[in-house]
Amino acid sequence: MKKHSKEFTHIRKNDLPSMVDISDKCVTERRAVAMAHIHLGYELAELLKKSGSTKKGPVLQTAVIGGIQGGKRTSELIPMCHPLPLTSMDVDIELEGEYALIKATAKTKANTGVEMEALTAASVAALTFYDMCKSITKSMKIESVFLIEKSGGKSGDYLVKNEELEK
């Protein structure tokens, strides 16, 4: 893996924000995977394993759609993100014990990466999940949202270490 510079790329010399100029970067295939963990509690986890729905409708399906929509709109939500032509956006949700595990995968052929799109998709899916289930319990906790891996581009590949996944 390559070393990264320790300078903020979105700040000009006069301390004003700036969108990074990516015009000289090569167009390559890029992929990023992000994860979100939601602690549901026993009651909600069991309800979802049995029926998968609340009064608002199918929880997992709605959260998947919300995540995809969030990933597609990342540049509208995060000020310095470039709009990207996504070639793929997948959101998968698994119920494991008292947790919902959300995994978002974004792909593009562009001159900048898709980490923010994957992270936004995982975040919005988690928020949608919360919204769908808040009538059952408000004690759900979105405990983490983090990048698992990325590939493509000048900075090289990144893969989270196993011990970091277990935290």
Side-chain angles (χ1 to χ4, degrees):
M1 276 194 245
K2 298 179 181 182
K3 296 261 184 187
H4 299 280
S5 72
K6 299 292 183 193
E7 296 178 17
F8 289 107
T9 57
H10 292 83
I11 304 291
R12 296 180 292 189
K13 290 180 184 172
N14 56 0
D15 285 337
L16 293 174
S18 175
M19 188 177 202
V20 173
D21 183 355
I22 61 170
S23 58
D24 290 338
K25 292 174 78 176
C26 294
V27 172
T28 61
E29 286 189 27
R30 295 161 188 266
R31 179 177 180 271
V33 182
M35 191 94 181
H37 294 157
I38 309 172
H39 184 258
L40 307 173
Y42 179 78
E43 179 186 350
L44 177 57
E46 289 302 308
L47 175 70
L48 291 173
K49 287 173 189 170
K50 288 178 186 165
S51 73
S53 289
T54 65
K55 290 179 183 179
K56 285 190 169 185
V59 174
L60 275 62
Q61 293 90 333
T62 306
V64 166
I65 293 167
I68 291 169
Q69 185 175 2
K72 289 168 51 176
R73 300 187 72 170
T74 299
S75 67
E76 296 173 35
L77 300 169
I78 310 297
M80 300 302 168
C81 282
H82 294 84
L84 291 178
L86 294 176
T87 57
S88 176
M89 174 60 71
D90 289 317
V91 176
D92 296 303
I93 303 174
E94 290 182 30
L95 299 176
E96 189 174 293
E98 292 187 18
Y99 282 86
L101 308 176
I102 300 168
K103 182 173 145 184
T105 304
K107 294 180 185 177
T108 191
K109 286 185 180 179
N111 48 355
T112 192
V114 288
E115 296 94 331
M116 294 308 300
E117 286 72 12
L119 287 162
T120 301
S123 299
V124 173
L127 291 168
T128 302
F129 199 103
Y130 187 97
D131 179 56
M132 294 295 292
C133 297
K134 68 186 179 193
S135 64
I136 307 298
T137 180
K138 291 174 182 49
S139 66
M140 292 169 282
K141 292 184 183 89
I142 299 172
E143 293 185 349
S144 60
V145 178
F146 56 98
L147 185 68
I148 295 177
E149 64 181 90
K150 75 150 239 57
S151 61
K154 188 173 109 178
S155 66
D157 295 349
Y158 168 81
L159 182 61
V160 71
K161 297 174 184 151
N162 281 339
E163 58 269 16
E164 292 175 15
L165 275 175
E166 296 170 4
K167 288 181 182 177

